[in-house]
């Protein structure tokens, strides 16, 4: 018996946050970089009536294809897709791939003739906040494009991936990552803005300068999402107070200039409030606040304002850089990274080990070609991004060796 197969391969990189933080919803600018680490998805349409999803990192999921085709034919809502996943006990990691097929079918009407198999390989570490799930989505959608011969236009691929992330998986992820993974440019900084999501022209780095990234601690099965969510909620309450007290109208928090914030808004914000106080003052927004916990209202709200200013300044420095000012611009970029990291640290969003590693880079200094470093991503805080002279890579490797102790070799993620 002859088995007829048709296959296609899609690839996508991870990302590192050079600057930018928990700005989803604030209208803020984030500067990201693609990693050399990437995810590859091989999609195969064959005669075996099975839906098969196999990952070198996670394992395998198999199901009869007919029930999946019935799901496709029903043009299901996102909630119905989730119900099907639950009914057939699809593991979370496999849901990303299966949901890509459903949304691709919704967009183009394509479905496999018989069976459909996916083989996933990746060297992007999971649970370190560098976009492993977004890379999986983008790579899967690219593979489906090639397999079907039907392609997304403009930024529609990223929009599909964002919808999948928000409404089907239900993960609170950096939804801007899909844009930089799908439409960024290797070796450049990628300006991505939230609300509305948009990506600008990638920015080239000065000659001889590169971006590196690496894990700063062991992978964590249970990232400190509770504290991250606590900061997000505090920022939301700060925004409500600021809107109530402000005599001007603004759509997003990042529309506020830092000078205006310092003069007119910061004095109106409480440094902190307990969950009990928030419930009393904001009953409509009090869901999820623990009465005995203290929320850092002022610092949480102000972060997106100042981080957006840092991102905008960094982008403009690079866009308008004169040849004889490259070194000074690079040093200014590094200082912005250190300021950003310090703000994260003051909010309790880093770890002691991550702070130690960033401090070691700061002590090495620009004279040795190490310009700046900071935590990358808003998650478990287990990856670092740094701006360095290419000639300083040996110094970087020597620095990292002193941090290998408990967690083994610190493996670079980029460059």
């Amino acid at each position: 018996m002859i088995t007829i197969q048709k296959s296609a391969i899609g690839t996508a990189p991870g990302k590192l946050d050079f600057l930018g933080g928990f700005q989803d919803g604030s209208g803020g600018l984030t500067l990201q970089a693609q990693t050399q680490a990437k995810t590859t998805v091989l999609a195969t349409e064959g005669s075996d009536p099975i839906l098969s999803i196999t990952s070198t990192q996670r394992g395998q999921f198999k199901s009869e294809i007919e029930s999946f085709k019935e799901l496709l034919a029903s043009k299901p809502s996102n909630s119905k897709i989730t119900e099907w996943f639950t009914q057939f006990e699809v593991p979370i990691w496999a849901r990303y791939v299966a949901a890509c097929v459903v949304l691709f079918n919704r967009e183009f009407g394509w479905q496999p003739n018989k069976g459909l198999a996916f083989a996933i390989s990746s060297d992007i570490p999971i649970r370190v906040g560098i976009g492993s799930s977004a890379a999986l989505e983008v790579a899967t959608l690219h593979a489906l494009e090639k397999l079907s011969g039907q392609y997304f236009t403009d930024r529609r691929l990223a929009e599909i991936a964002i919808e999948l992330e928000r409404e089907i998986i239900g993960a609170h992820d950096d939804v801007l990552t899909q844009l930089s993974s799908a439409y960024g440019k290797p070796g450049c900084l990628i300006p991505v803005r939230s609300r509305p999501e948009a990506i600008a022209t990638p920015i080239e780095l000065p000659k001889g300068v590169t971006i590196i990234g690496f894990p700063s601690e062991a992978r964590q099965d249970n990232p400190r999402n509770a504290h991250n969510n606590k900061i997000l909620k505090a920022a939301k309450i700060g925004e409500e107070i600021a809107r109530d007290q402000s005599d001007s109208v603004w759509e997003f928090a990042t529309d506020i200039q830092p000078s205006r914030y310092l003069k007119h808004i910061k004095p109106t914000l409480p440094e902190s409030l307990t969950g009990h106080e928030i419930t009393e003052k904001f009953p409509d927004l009090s869901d999820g606040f623990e009465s005995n916990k203290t929320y850092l209202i002022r610092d949480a709200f102000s972060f997106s304002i100042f981080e957006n200013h840092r991102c905008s300044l960094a982008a403009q420095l690079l866009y308008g850089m004169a040849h004889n000012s490259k070194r000074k611009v690079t040093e200014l970029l590094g200082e912005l990274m250190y300021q950003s990291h310090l703000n994260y640290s003051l909010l309790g969003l880093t770890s002691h080990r991550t702070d130690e590693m960033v401090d070691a880079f700061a002590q090495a200094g620009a004279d040795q070609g190490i310009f700046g470093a900071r935590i990358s991503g808003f998650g478990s805080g287990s990856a670092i991004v740094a701006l360095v002279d290419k000639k300083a890579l040996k110094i970087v490797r020597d620095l990292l060796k002193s941090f290998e102790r408990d967690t083994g070799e610190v493996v670079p993620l980029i460059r």
Side-chain angles (χ1 to χ4, degrees):
M1 179 179 178
I2 299 176
T3 301
I4 300 175
Q5 293 185 337
K6 180 181 179 182
S7 297
I9 294 176
T11 62
K15 63 89 188 180
L16 287 161
D17 288 329
F18 178 81
L19 280 174
F22 51 98
Q23 306 218 69
D24 183 21
S26 71
L29 183 67
T30 298
L31 299 179
Q32 299 183 347
Q34 290 183 338
T35 65
Q36 288 184 327
K38 64 183 180 180
T39 294
T40 300
V41 174
L42 171 65
T44 301
E45 187 180 6
S47 57
D48 192 4
I50 296 292
L51 172 65
S52 172
I53 306 173
T54 304
S55 167
T56 56
Q57 288 178 312
R58 301 298 190 91
Q60 185 177 55
F61 167 77
K62 279 190 174 185
S63 175
E64 294 293 332
I65 195 72
E66 287 308 316
S67 59
F68 186 65
K69 284 186 174 182
E70 290 173 3
L71 175 70
L72 297 178
S74 69
K75 302 299 179 184
S77 64
N78 291 335
S79 61
K80 289 294 183 183
I81 298 171
T82 303
E83 288 176 13
W84 190 91
F85 288 161
T86 301
Q87 179 184 351
F88 288 88
E89 299 180 342
V90 184
I92 294 296
W93 64 268
R95 295 186 182 195
Y96 287 95
V97 176
C100 282
V101 179
V102 181
L103 296 186
F104 194 87
N105 169 268
R106 183 187 293 173
E107 191 80 3
F108 296 111
W110 177 88
Q111 64 175 297
N113 291 321
K114 289 190 177 180
L116 187 60
F118 294 92
I120 306 161
S121 62
S122 181
D123 55 359
I124 301 176
I126 58 176
R127 295 186 292 274
V128 294
I130 63 169
S132 58
S133 63
L136 176 57
E137 295 158 8
V138 172
T140 301
L141 290 169
H142 278 323
L144 289 171
E145 284 182 317
K146 294 176 182 177
L147 191 65
S148 68
Q150 300 180 83
Y151 292 82
F152 294 102
T153 58
D154 198 19
R155 297 183 176 91
R156 183 62 180 156
L157 184 148
E159 292 172 358
I160 291 291
I162 289 168
E163 178 182 353
L164 186 158
E165 195 81 57
R166 288 174 173 168
E167 299 184 26
I168 298 176
I169 302 300
H172 184 81
D173 198 5
D174 176 4
V175 296
L176 307 180
T177 306
Q178 290 85 349
L179 281 169
S180 60
S181 179
Y183 301 107
K185 183 179 177 181
C188 293
L189 284 179
I190 307 157
V192 192
R193 185 174 297 280
S194 70
R195 296 293 187 271
E197 290 93 353
I199 184 170
T201 303
I203 308 170
E204 293 187 5
L205 294 170
K207 186 177 180 180
V209 175
T210 189
I211 295 170
I212 61 171
F214 43 88
S216 61
E217 53 192 287
R219 299 176 190 172
Q220 301 176 20
D221 290 329
N222 296 301
R224 296 181 294 112
N225 288 330
H227 185 71
N228 298 342
N229 290 335
K230 183 179 173 184
I231 295 299
L232 289 171
K233 290 174 181 177
K236 181 64 177 176
I237 295 298
E239 181 178 353
E240 288 299 314
I241 297 173
R243 286 189 185 279
D244 184 60
Q245 299 294 327
S246 178
D247 58 359
S248 60
V249 178
W250 33 271
E251 185 176 4
F252 300 116
T254 48
D255 291 338
I256 305 169
Q257 290 297 320
S259 57
R260 179 169 183 79
Y261 167 78
L262 291 170
K263 184 175 182 179
H264 298 288
I265 297 177
K266 182 179 178 181
T268 71
L269 296 177
E271 182 177 348
S272 63
L273 290 172
T274 65
H276 177 71
E277 291 171 324
I278 291 170
T279 300
E280 286 189 330
K281 295 180 180 181
F282 305 95
D284 294 338
L285 299 172
S286 61
D287 287 347
F289 287 91
E290 298 180 50
S291 60
N292 61 337
K293 295 289 180 65
T294 299
Y295 294 83
L296 302 175
I297 305 299
R298 184 186 298 160
D299 287 345
F301 175 67
S302 66
F303 178 87
S304 60
I305 296 171
F306 288 102
E307 187 72 357
N308 179 72
H309 182 69
R310 283 188 284 265
C311 288
S312 300
L313 178 58
Q316 291 307 313
L317 283 170
L318 286 170
Y319 277 134
M321 184 171 56
H323 178 75
N324 61 2
S325 64
K326 287 184 178 180
R327 179 77 181 194
K328 183 60 179 176
V329 166
T330 305
E331 292 180 8
L332 288 171
L333 292 176
E335 169 60 19
L336 294 176
M337 295 178 77
Y338 287 130
Q339 289 182 25
S340 175
H341 183 84
L342 178 60
N343 274 185
Y344 255 83
S345 183
L346 292 174
L347 288 169
L349 292 169
T350 69
S351 69
H352 178 67
R353 179 177 168 81
T354 302
D355 289 342
E356 278 188 327
M357 295 179 80
V358 171
D359 286 346
F361 272 62
Q363 289 173 20
D367 289 343
Q368 296 194 64
I370 298 177
F371 303 109
R374 71 183 287 272
I375 186 174
S376 176
F378 180 59
S380 62
S382 49
I384 288 174
V385 61
L387 183 69
V388 302
D389 192 306
K390 291 180 180 179
K391 296 177 182 178
L393 291 178
K394 183 181 184 303
I395 298 173
V396 171
R397 293 190 190 99
D398 291 341
L399 274 176
L400 295 182
K401 284 180 182 178
S402 66
F403 288 94
E404 290 175 2
R405 49 179 189 259
D406 308 329
T407 56
E409 184 181 1
V410 180
V411 181
L413 302 171
I414 186 171
R415 296 290 172 263

